[in-house]
Structures are given as C-alpha cells and as structure tokens.
Amino acid sequence: MKSFFKNVLANIVAIVILCVVFFFFFIIMLVFGSMGSEKSVIVKKNSILTINLKTNIIDSPTEEQMGLFNFNDQSRSVLIYEALEAINKAKTDDNIRGISIEADDLNAGITQIDDLRNALEDFKKSGKFVYAYGNSVSQGAYYLGSVADKYYLNPSGMIELKGLATEVTFFKDFADKYGIGIEVIRHGKFKSAVEPFLRNDISPENREQLSTLLNDIWKNTSARIAVSRKIDTAQFRTVVDSLYGMIPELSLKYRLADQLIQKAQYDELIKSKLNLKEKEKLNKISLRKYIASYAADEKSGDKVAVLYASGSINNGDNYNEISSEKYIKYIKELQENDKVKAVVFRINSPGGSANASDEILFELQQLKKKKPLIVSFGDYAASGGYYIAMAADKIYSEPNTLTGSIGVFGLMPYYKEIANKNGIRSDIVATNANSQYYSALNGVSPYGVNMITKSVEGTYKRFVHFVTQNRKQTFEQIDNVGGGRVWSGTRAKQIGLVDELGTLNDAVKFAAQKAGLKSYSIASYPRKMTAFEQIFQDLNEDDVEARIIRNKIGKANYEILQQITNEKLQSEIKMEMPYQIKIN
C-alpha cells in the first residue's frame, strides 16, 4: 500500500511538472511568435494587394484580444488608419499592380467599410485595377466588393443583399412571469435602452428613430452599390426586395456579378491581366504584410497623436474598454508630451457610465487648453460616447456614424416577488431613514426613486449644458434633438451636432494644420499590447469566470447580462445607447 501511494504521488508530481513545462514552452513560443520578422517582408514585382477573410479591420488597438480565454490571431488585425494608408501607398507603388477583394464576410464596421470604399475608389484613379471574388457573401462584404471594376461570383455562391432591419427583444412579460421587478428612471422619450423592460412592444418614438436611422444608412449604402454596379435605383430596390442575390444566375442577370467562375479561374484571370506566364506564380500580399513591408520605427520630431477610444465607457482601468482611470493617464501623458503638438480623439463608443464619461471629459478639457483637440467619430458616438466629444475644437463624423443619443437612465432590478414565492424574505436594520433605499429583494424606496430621478434629471441637464457650449446652441435647441434620440452622421451634420463629415485621415490633417505642422508623424495611443502582455493580463484578471462567459455568449449579450447582474452597473446613472447595428 505504501508503494502504491508513492507511485500515485510520483505520477501527480510528474503531471504537474509536465503542465508547468508545457505552459512555459507555450509562453516562450508566444513571445517568439510576437517578435516575428514581419518588417523583413519584401513586396515582389507584379504583386496584388489582397483584402481577404483573414483580415480583421479594427478601429482601435484595444479591440484586439488574444489570451488564454480568447485565442484569436491578433496579428491578422489591421487598424483602419493603417489599412487606408496602405491602399493609398499602393496607388503609387510600382510593385503593386492591383487589388483583389476576396472577403465573403468582413469583420469591420459600416464606417470602416465606407472609408475602405473611398480609398479603393481613389486607388482606381491610378489606372490600376480592383477586382473582387465571392462565394457566400455577406451584405457588408458585398458593399465593399461592389466598388470593384469587376465582381466575380462562384457558380454555386450567393450574395446576401437584403437591406437593413433591427429586432428589438422585450423582457417585460418574462420579468412579470418570474417575479422580477425592474425600476427604471430615464430622461428622454427616445431613450429606449430601458424600453424592453417597460413594454411588450416598440414605442412609436423608438420606431420613428429606428426607421429614420436605418433608412438614412441604407440610403447611403444602397445608392453607392447601385452606382458602382450601374443598376437603376428602382431595379436595385426590386433586386434587394426579391433577394435575387441568393441565386447566382439571378445575381448575374441583374448585374450584381459580372461572371460566375471558380476561384482557380479567378486567379488565372488575374494572371492573364498581369501577362504572367502559365508557370509563373501569382504574388498576393495581404494588407497586414504589406503594412509590415514599409512600417518604420517611431520617428522623432513633431507628432499628431491619435487617441483611440473604443467600447463601453466604465470606471476602472480595463485595457479593452474606455476605462476612466486608464484614459485619464493617456490624456495627461499627451498633455505633458512636448513632441505631441495636436491630438485626434477617435471615438467608437455607444456610451456607458455617466460618472466615467464626466471624468474623461474634464481631462480632455484640460488638454484642449494646451493643444488642438480634434474628434473623429467611428461607427458609434452615442450617449457617453458623444458626451466625451464635447471638449473638441472640431468634430468629424462619418455619414453612417450613429450619433447623439443625448439622454440618461438608471436601471435597478429587484427580485421581491420571486423571492417571496420561494419562501425568501428579509428584514432591514438601519441607522438612517434611507440607509437601504435600494435592495435586490425589496426594490427601491419611494424616496429613493425621487432622489434618483433628480440625479438623472441633473445629469441630463449637465449633459445638455456641455453640448450647448460646444455646439453653440441653446438648451431648447439641443433638448429638441436630444431626448435620447440617435441620428445618422449625415443628419447630425444637418442639425449641428457635428462640424464636418469626414474620415479619421481628414481629422488628422486638420489637427496638423491647426497646430501649424508641415512635417509630422502619427503616434497611436494606447499602443498595441503584445500577445505576451495579453496572456498575463488574462492571468491577472480578478474575474476570470467573467471573461470565459463573455467569450462564450458574445460581448453584446454579456453587456446585457451585466446590466441585470452587476451591482456596480446597477447603481450607476448611464449615458448609453440601447443597441448596435451591424451591416451583415
């Protein structure tokens, strides 16, 4: 028996040692992988710059995630700014003969696709070609690919061209059925973030804003597709309504595609275009590798800094969201860095914590006193995301940016009924009249509701106050277009919520001009985390379970779950947009 336990113990020790050795081997391999020699990439003659399925277009370095609980290949991610620079450089690069779009799906937001499309249209002015090929093509990928001189589709492929729709899910009956109470306090008739907990159907106000928003975006995108494909507007509407893109022969008949061919035939077609011999290899180079081929070390001299802010706004110092502590450090660093002559604040956020938004806005106001501060909007600049833009000297929005949502709400769920049904009740012992104004079992006291309502109203007035200062409008004017309503960038420009329609590149150029710079380089903040750093961030996180759940159910679903279960978020006044729209 004694020898048996010795053998068991020896096996356990061996397994532990093996696991430790494997773990450190994994870390070492990861480090060496992250130190890859991509800067030695050489662009061969007759190369084709390729936008393919392996490329993730991201708005901010913080959108990259790689770790023990989310093992994506972060090296495939390309910042939209880098992608646009690459396409612009390829225009005059003698080694690049053309561009091939080979993306059935596209991991990019609507404004990013808009920018890529603009860059590709400009690229075509060089006389070089842009071709596209698809198998089972999402709407977003086709929106990009339709800019090509020729669009080729697999004979058994399809194009999911269907227009835009949004589906609002309601939880009121579910909450009532299971005895879950939800106390909602909001300002703004369009503040629909909490509507699913109050109603069983969509309100007229929410239907109005969603209909206007979707039609604005679809009007922009559908018109561009129709013009690129030389399809009459009325016919294009019929094609979309009838889902003709689902059938390859109908895609060809109605000019969504130019030819039905296999991928190998497509490659041969490009070789023929380049006058390559039969045995010569077709040189394709991805966006990521092309960027690595000319990426230089950080230059000295004057800089325009681009501070990327992507994700929800919250207190704390989480790298992968707009965390107040983290961003206050970034802003102060930019303020004190004498080499940084101007700052472009790139916002891609549906909002979040009112308190965190206010902290960030204050620091940006201090930065503005020393240096030009230009704001550029990505896919979203809503609620808190719009609030933090109010320190800007000038605001650039994309035509399809979801903008505004000037409104505030508080959400406090409680479980009194379901608890009582299951024999659970509580008594309260307190020192003061409202020591327990909110309880998960007993809900919110009437006086608590009264005070939180005042807090929401005060926060809304503060929100509108900063908007009136920045936009140089009256309280009544801003309140009239506020109330939580979301606008497209195009309409936001018309009603004065932004200054110009333009890209991140436009914002950078204006910032340099305002700072009086003729020669400058771009400095990005926050810097990209290495794979090694992200691994240890995962290991150091207090709530590993939360990361596992988030990656399992998805970021959007996790944020909804947080609103119901996270005590910190329940106690906060929120400036947040209720939904996200993706063109798929």
Side-chain angles (χ1 to χ4, degrees), residues 298-350:
E298 187 177 343
K299 298 176 182 178
S300 58
D302 294 337
K303 300 179 185 299
V304 173
V306 179
L307 175 59
Y308 294 94
S310 184
S312 296
I313 303 171
N314 292 301
N315 298 104
D317 61 354
N318 191 330
Y319 175 81
N320 297 115
E321 60 187 17
I322 309 172
S323 303
S324 56
E325 289 182 27
K326 210 79 161 172
Y327 274 78
I328 287 170
K329 290 178 183 176
Y330 296 147
I331 295 165
K332 286 182 175 178
E333 183 180 341
L334 291 172
Q335 186 176 333
E336 295 165 3
N337 189 334
D338 292 334
K339 291 183 179 180
V340 173
K341 304 301 182 182
V343 177
V344 174
F345 190 34
R346 174 68 170 187
I347 299 171
N348 191 27
S349 172

Side-chain angles (χ1 to χ4, degrees), residues 278-304:
E278 185 177 344
K279 292 186 179 180
E280 286 186 278
K281 184 180 179 182
L282 179 60
N283 297 319
K284 291 185 178 181
I285 184 168
S286 68
L287 269 176
R288 175 177 57 83
K289 287 188 176 180
Y290 185 61
I291 291 166
S293 73
Y294 62 82
D297 293 330
E298 187 177 343
K299 298 176 182 178
S300 58
D302 294 337
K303 300 179 185 299
V304 173

Side-chain angles (χ1 to χ4, degrees), residues 30-64:
L30 191 61
V31 171
F32 278 102
S34 67
M35 294 168 58
S37 58
E38 289 200 295
K39 287 189 178 181
S40 64
V41 172
I42 297 174
V43 182
K44 300 177 182 178
K45 290 184 179 180
N46 293 322
S47 289
I48 304 298
L49 183 60
T50 307
I51 301 172
N52 56 31
L53 289 168
K54 296 179 180 180
T55 303
N56 298 327
I57 305 295
I58 60 175
D59 203 83
S60 162
T62 61
E63 292 177 27
E64 286 189 323

